[in-house]
Amino acid sequence: MKTVSYILAVLMLLVASTACAQIDVAAETPRDTPIPVSIKTDIPAGATSEGPGWIIPPGVNVHTIDSTHLVVCAPPGEYVLQYRLDWLHIETVTFKDGAGNDVTIRSYLGHGKYDVRTTFKVTGGAVPPPPPPPPPPPPGGKYQVMFFYEWGQLDNLPPRQQEILTSLTARDQIAAAGHVFQAAYDRSFVDSGKPEKHAAWFRAAKPMSGPLIAIAPKDGGVVQVFQLPDSMEAVMKLLENPTEVKR
């Protein structure tokens, strides 16, 4: 069997084609609306392709349905979508020559190039800001109390802070004032988010470092987090009026 490894140049000149396509997308869409996007191509089955295909602009979220269909969503603004691809169609053909020998060639069947773009607009005002957090509980209320600290750094804290974090006397004093002591957690619990029943407390404490005291209304509500005071007297004063304490 004889094999010819080249593509027939004459056929390439005769069959070569320039691909034309248009991206189909609504010119203008209200915000918060999914936007279908598609492009119709004439790439034959068996052809190989190179290129990025869809080029999505920054700020646009995309869900891919298949290689020619998308659904996009974006905040208000104007965006440019692109589709860029080169394809080449080659088929292996075997025939017998005049001497009865099998001859195999790679026959060129066509090629094409897509490089198209279009603009679409998402209308609507700016995204509204999130609602403000609920106001903190009024002073003089009763609170749930939780401590956070790093176990490996406990010995480095001042003795009075160590006592706040570890002594039953401190916890009894909190309870005697009508508050509810929940727990004292190592920082690793904050990072893990477990147990889940205290996830809101962990989220509130996560941005802050050092030994902390967190409080929330006794019947539930917003969690406030403060640096741990340096004495039990200061802890009780904080619980009397947390709105006056700077974080």
Side-chain angles (χ1 to χ4, degrees), residues 31-33 35 55-63 71-81 120 122 127:
R31 56 173 264 200
D32 302 325
T33 303
I35 306 169
I55 301 175
I56 309 298
V60 175
N61 295 318
V62 58
H63 172 69
V71 176
V72 300
C73 192
E78 189 168 281
Y79 304 91
V80 177
L81 272 174
F120 72 95
V122 178
V127 178

Side-chain angles (χ1 to χ4, degrees), residues 1-13:
M1 179 186 293
K2 296 182 179 179
T3 301
V4 180
S5 60
Y6 57 84
I7 299 172
L8 298 181
V10 174
L11 288 177
M12 181 175 284
L13 293 174

